[in-house]
Amino acid sequence: MCGIVGYTGINNALPFLLDGLEKLEYRGYDSAGVYIHTDDDRDVLVKEKGRVKDLEKKVEEFDMRGKSGIAHTRWATHGQPSIENAHPHVSADGRYYLVHNGVIENYKQLKADYLDGVEFKSQTDTEVAVQLVGKFASQGLDTLTAFRKMINLLDDNSSYAFLLMDTKSPDLLYAAKSKSPLLIGISETGNVVSSDALAVLDLTKDFIELHDSEIAVISKNDVQLYNSKGNSYTRNSFHLDIDPTAADKGTYPFFMLKEIDEQAIVARTLIKNYFINGFPHIDEKIIHAIKDSDHIYIIAAGTSYNAGLIGRRFFEKWAGIPTETYVSSEFAYDQPIISKKPFFIFISQSGETADSIQVLDFIKAAGYPTLTIANVLNSTLTREADFSLPLLAGPEIAVASTKAYTSQIIAQIILAAAIAGGHEDLQKELSKLAVDIQSVIDGKEKIKQLADKYLVNADRAFYIGRGADADVTLEAALKLKEISYTLAEGFAAGELKHGTISLIEQGTPVIGLISQSKTAGLTRSNLEETMARGAKVITIATKNLATSEDDIVLPELAGENEMFGPILEAIPIQLLAYYTSFGRELDVDHPRNLAKSVTVQ
Ligand code: M6R
C-alpha cells in the first residue's frame, strides 16, 4: 500500500526519491508524486496517475535540482486514482507539502470543524491534514507545534505515517507515525525517511526507529525526536543486515517466480537457524509461555491465515494444545469466548497488516501473551508482540505471497516440535523436505504445460482436497484469483456435492490435492463425480498415493510425514497460478487493486 520516501542531504534528491519510489512499487499503488525544493529556491511538485515510470517521464519536463524532497506512491482509499488525489498535497497558502500513508477516519469532521472556507483540491483525507497544519501555522504556531496540534486532532481509529516539508525551512523533514510503518535512515551524505527500508538500502543500512505518536525533525546531519508533550530526545540507530541485491529480480521475468524458486533455500535457512545439535531450538521463554497456556489462537490474514490453518494441526497433534486459527479482520470485531489461559500467535509476512495490528493492540491491552511470526524484522507486529520469531525468508517483493507461506508453515512446525519435545528426526526430515521442494520446483515445465493447456483460457477453476489438503485448496484458490483474475474456489472435497457441483460444465478445471492417506480415496471419488459432469480434472498427489494417471506427482510422504503434504503442494499451486497469469500476459507481480502490505482495515 502507499509508499513514502524523503531525503534531505548534500546530493541531488530527485534521483534518490525516484529510485526509492521504484523500490516501493511492489507495495501496490495507482499514482505517484514528488515534491522538491530546488537549489534556486523554487517549489516544484509533479504528480502522475499510473506507474512510477510515467511520473519519471513527466519529471523530465521540469528542472528539479534540489537537496531535499518528499515522494509518494498512492493506493487510493478516499477519492479515485487521479493526479489531483495523488500526494504530495499542499496547504492552501502553498507553504506546506505533505505525504501520508494510512487513513484519517475523522477527516470529514475535522474539515467541518476547522477548515470552513478553505478551498480543497482533492477528495482525499490527507489534504485535511496539510490544510490543518497550514491553518494552525497561519494563526502563529511554529511548524512543529502546528504539526503536533493536527496529529492530536486525529481520532484513535486513524492510522498515519506523515512526512511534511515547510517551504520556509526546506532543509528539514517532519515525520510522524501511528499504526503505519516509517523509518528514518541516516548516512554521511544525508538523512532519509521511508515506509520501507528496502527503498533506501543503496544509501544506508543504519536506521532510527520512530515510535507511534512521536514526531521527528530531520535535517541532513541530525534527527531530533519529540514526544506528544513536546520534550525532545535522540535515539541510537540500529544496523539492518539486509543484502540490497536480495530485492533484485536478476534474470527472472517476475519476482514471484524468483521467490517460488527460493523456497528450498528458505527451508534450509530456517533449519540452520532453529536447530541446535539436531533439536528444535526456540527461545525458552516462548516455549514456557505457550506450554503454560490452555489454548492457542492464531490470528492472521490472507495467505498468512492459510498458513495458520496448517500450523494449527501441528500445535494440536504434536504439542497437544487446542488451537484455532482466525481471520484477523473478523476476530477484531467478533471474538469467540476466550479460554482462561490463552496464547496468541500472529502470523504475517509484512508485520504491518492493519487488521492484525488492530487485534494485537487489544489482546495486549487485555494482558494476554503474544508471539509474532513474521518476515519483516522490526515491523509493527514483531515490535509490539511480547515475543517474535523471524521467518528469515528474505525480502518478498511480489504481491502474491509464496516463500513466506512455506516459511510460515515450517516455522510453526519447528515451534510445535520444540513445545512437544522429542522429534529428534525432525531436522533430518525437514532437510529431506528441502530437497523434495527443490525437485518439485525443478519439474516446473510440466506445471507450465498444464497451466497453458487447462487454465490460461478458463474463466473459473476449483481446487478440492480433504483435511490438510482442504486447507491448501484455500491458498491455491487465493493465489490463482489474485494474480490471474480467474474466479477460483477452494474447499473440502466432500462439500462439492452440497452445492458447487452445479457450476461444473464441460471443460471446467477441477484440481484435486491428494497427500492424506485417510481421505485420498474419497477425494478421488469426488473428482470422478466432477469428471462425470464434464470437468477437466488435474491431480496433484504424493508418490505413495499416486496412480499412473496423476498429472503432478510429488515426492513420497508416507506415515506421519504426510503432515508435510501442504508444503510440497504449495509449489505446484503457486506455479499453476504464476503460469496462468504469465500466459495471460498479466503483470504477475503487481495484480490490479492489490497491495503487498495492507495497512488499512
Ligand atoms: O503481510 P501479511 O502476511 O500480514 O499479509 C496478509 C495478506 O494481505 C497477504 O497474505 C495477501 O493475502 C497476499 N497477497 C496473498 O498472496
Side-chain angles (χ1 to χ4, degrees):
M1 238 155 222
C2 309
I4 287 177
V5 57
Y7 175 87
T8 177
I10 59 171
N11 291 323
N12 191 11
L14 186 65
F16 177 80
L17 294 178
L18 293 176
D19 183 60
L21 288 189
E22 276 179 24
K23 296 201 169 107
L24 292 173
E25 280 194 295
Y26 80 94
R27 294 166 71 90
Y29 70 102
D30 40 53
S31 54
V34 57
Y35 158 73
I36 298 277
H37 184 86
T38 65
D39 291 340
D40 55 359
D41 214 18
R42 287 174 298 116
D43 298 300
V44 185
L45 173 66
V46 184
K47 307 201 274 191
E48 187 57 296
K49 205 179 143 194
R51 315 308 306 234
V52 171
K53 66 176 178 335
D54 300 317
L55 176 73
E56 286 170 340
K57 212 155 159 232
K58 196 164 173 185
V59 152
E60 285 170 12
E61 297 162 24
F62 299 81
D63 174 9
M64 291 180 79
R65 274 201 77 82
K67 303 207 170 38
S68 60
I70 52 179
H72 189 263
T73 48
R74 171 176 188 254
W75 187 86
T77 58
H78 298 69
Q80 62 186 25
S82 66
I83 293 180
E84 296 71 38
N85 289 333
H87 303 205
H89 289 285
V90 196
S91 59
D93 59 1
R95 176 170 171 185
Y96 292 101
Y97 287 77
L98 178 89
V99 293
H100 166 223
N101 290 355
V103 173
I104 300 170
E105 297 287 352
N106 58 334
Y107 77 105
K108 283 191 181 145
Q109 193 58 49
L110 293 173
K111 195 169 171 179
D113 290 350
Y114 295 90
L115 297 168
D116 194 29
V118 175
E119 200 185 315
F120 276 72
K121 295 199 182 75
S122 77
Q123 291 89 50
T124 63
D125 50 341
T126 304
E127 193 179 348
V128 169
V130 74
Q131 299 292 14
L132 285 171
V133 177
K135 167 128 194 207
F136 298 147
S138 73
Q139 292 167 345
L141 296 186
D142 62 75
T143 298
L144 181 60
T145 314
F147 190 35
R148 185 177 322 110
K149 182 166 175 177
M150 178 277 286
I151 288 168
N152 288 342
L153 291 174
L154 308 183
D155 70 7
D156 287 347
N157 292 326
S158 298
S159 56
Y160 60 83
F162 287 126
L163 192 55
L164 174 81
M165 280 184 71
D166 176 0
T167 54
K168 290 196 175 164
S169 48
D171 50 340
L172 297 180
L173 304 176
Y174 294 82
K177 73 173 279 294
S178 175
K179 300 183 217 161
S180 284
L182 203 61
L183 280 172
I184 301 161
I186 52 172
S187 84
E188 301 270 287
T189 55
N191 291 331
V192 296
V193 178
S194 179
S195 38
D196 189 331
L198 279 182
V200 298
L201 283 180
D202 285 346
L203 181 71
T204 184
K205 288 185 183 172
D206 293 317
F207 294 92
I208 291 176
E209 215 177 275
L210 183 60
H211 294 171
D212 280 3
S213 309
E214 286 178 335
I215 293 180
V217 181
I218 302 140
S219 66
K220 65 178 181 223
N221 42 28
D222 186 42
V223 177
Q224 278 300 318
L225 300 171
Y226 296 85
N227 65 16
S228 53
K229 294 191 180 104
N231 301 325
S232 150
Y233 46 97
T234 54
R235 179 170 297 133
N236 288 339
S237 63
F238 64 92
H239 186 75
L240 207 54
D241 205 9
I242 307 184
D243 173 6
T245 58
D248 187 335
K249 70 175 183 290
T251 54
Y252 282 91
F254 289 101
F255 276 106
M256 183 176 174
L257 190 59
K258 174 177 182 263
E259 288 158 8
I260 290 172
D261 272 7
E262 284 169 355
Q263 290 176 102
I265 298 169
V266 169
R268 289 196 188 95
T269 308
L270 283 168
I271 297 164
K272 194 164 155 239
N273 277 275
Y274 288 121
F275 281 87
I276 290 186
N277 298 329
F279 285 94
H281 180 75
I282 305 278
D283 183 347
E284 253 322 299
K285 288 194 213 98
I286 300 177
I287 301 302
H288 183 263
I290 300 181
K291 275 186 170 169
D292 197 37
S293 72
D294 62 2
H295 204 113
I296 296 174
Y297 296 83
I298 300 175
I299 310 289
T303 288
S304 298
Y305 166 79
N306 294 337
L309 293 174
I310 312 289
R312 176 188 75 81
R313 296 176 181 277
F314 288 86
F315 293 120
E316 293 211 322
K317 189 145 190 203
W318 286 9
I321 305 175
T323 304
E324 284 165 282
T325 307
Y326 287 93
V327 167
S328 50
S329 57
E330 283 298 302
F331 195 93
Y333 301 96
D334 188 14
Q335 293 103 39
I337 295 173
I338 308 278
S339 71
K340 288 204 171 71
K341 296 192 90 184
F343 188 90
F344 283 82
I345 300 180
F346 291 81
I347 303 181
S348 179
Q349 189 289 128
S350 63
E352 299 294 350
T353 299
D355 292 324
S356 302
I357 293 171
Q358 155 93 353
V359 179
L360 176 62
D361 283 349
F362 79 75
I363 288 303
K364 268 176 60 180
Y368 299 134
T370 53
L371 161 72
T372 290
I373 302 177
N375 195 33
V376 178
L377 304 172
N378 250 295
S379 56
T380 306
L381 284 170
T382 58
R383 275 200 321 269
E384 294 190 356
D386 298 321
F387 309 105
S388 74
L389 286 180
L391 287 169
L392 310 166
E396 190 183 69
I397 307 291
V399 163
S401 187
T402 53
K403 61 179 179 173
Y405 175 68
T406 42
S407 66
Q408 287 163 345
I409 298 173
I410 295 170
Q412 290 175 94
I413 291 174
I414 299 171
L415 177 59
I419 299 164
H423 291 278
E424 50 284 333
D425 290 333
L426 185 62
Q427 184 176 13
K428 251 187 257 149
E429 286 160 354
L430 290 179
S431 303
K432 154 96 173 41
L433 197 67
V435 174
D436 290 344
I437 290 172
Q438 190 57 54
S439 77
V440 184
I441 292 169
D442 292 344
K444 59 165 83 85
E445 193 45 44
K446 170 87 193 286
I447 300 172
K448 179 177 186 310
Q449 285 165 10
L450 288 167
D452 286 343
K453 193 164 172 193
Y454 300 115
L455 293 172
V456 170
N457 294 312
D459 65 347
R460 70 186 89 155
F462 300 98
Y463 273 96
I464 63 169
R466 289 175 179 243
D469 293 338
D471 296 341
V472 182
T473 67
L474 300 182
E475 175 59 9
L478 173 60
K479 280 293 85 87
L480 193 59
K481 275 185 280 205
E482 73 176 326
I483 58 165
S484 78
Y485 317 145
T486 308
L487 191 67
E489 215 189 316
F491 51 90
E495 280 291 286
L496 194 66
K497 57 188 175 296
H498 296 291
T500 314
I501 202 161
S502 67
L503 290 167
I504 306 296
E505 291 175 354
Q506 201 58 39
T508 305
V510 176
I511 305 153
L513 301 181
I514 302 166
S515 73
Q516 306 299 304
S517 51
K518 207 158 62 174
T519 53
L522 286 166
T523 301
R524 286 195 189 278
S525 300
N526 299 134
L527 289 168
E528 290 285 343
E529 288 155 16
T530 67
M531 261 192 283
R533 287 154 181 89
K536 171 55 214 161
V537 164
I538 300 170
T539 45
I540 301 175
T542 43
K543 193 170 170 191
N544 42 306
L545 300 175
T547 70
S548 57
E549 316 271 274
D550 284 327
D551 297 285
I552 300 169
V553 177
L554 303 172
E556 175 165 340
L557 283 177
E560 169 112 311
N561 280 0
E562 71 180 23
M563 284 183 81
F564 300 149
I567 300 172
L568 292 185
E569 287 169 344
I571 313 299
I573 60 117
Q574 294 166 352
L575 285 167
L576 282 173
Y578 174 81
Y579 286 120
T580 305
S581 177
F582 187 79
R584 290 182 180 173
E585 298 183 6
L586 297 171
D587 185 348
V588 181
D589 287 342
H590 305 114
R592 68 184 174 213
N593 303 335
L594 282 170
K596 181 68 181 163
S597 169
V598 185
T599 51
V600 295
Q601 281 182 44

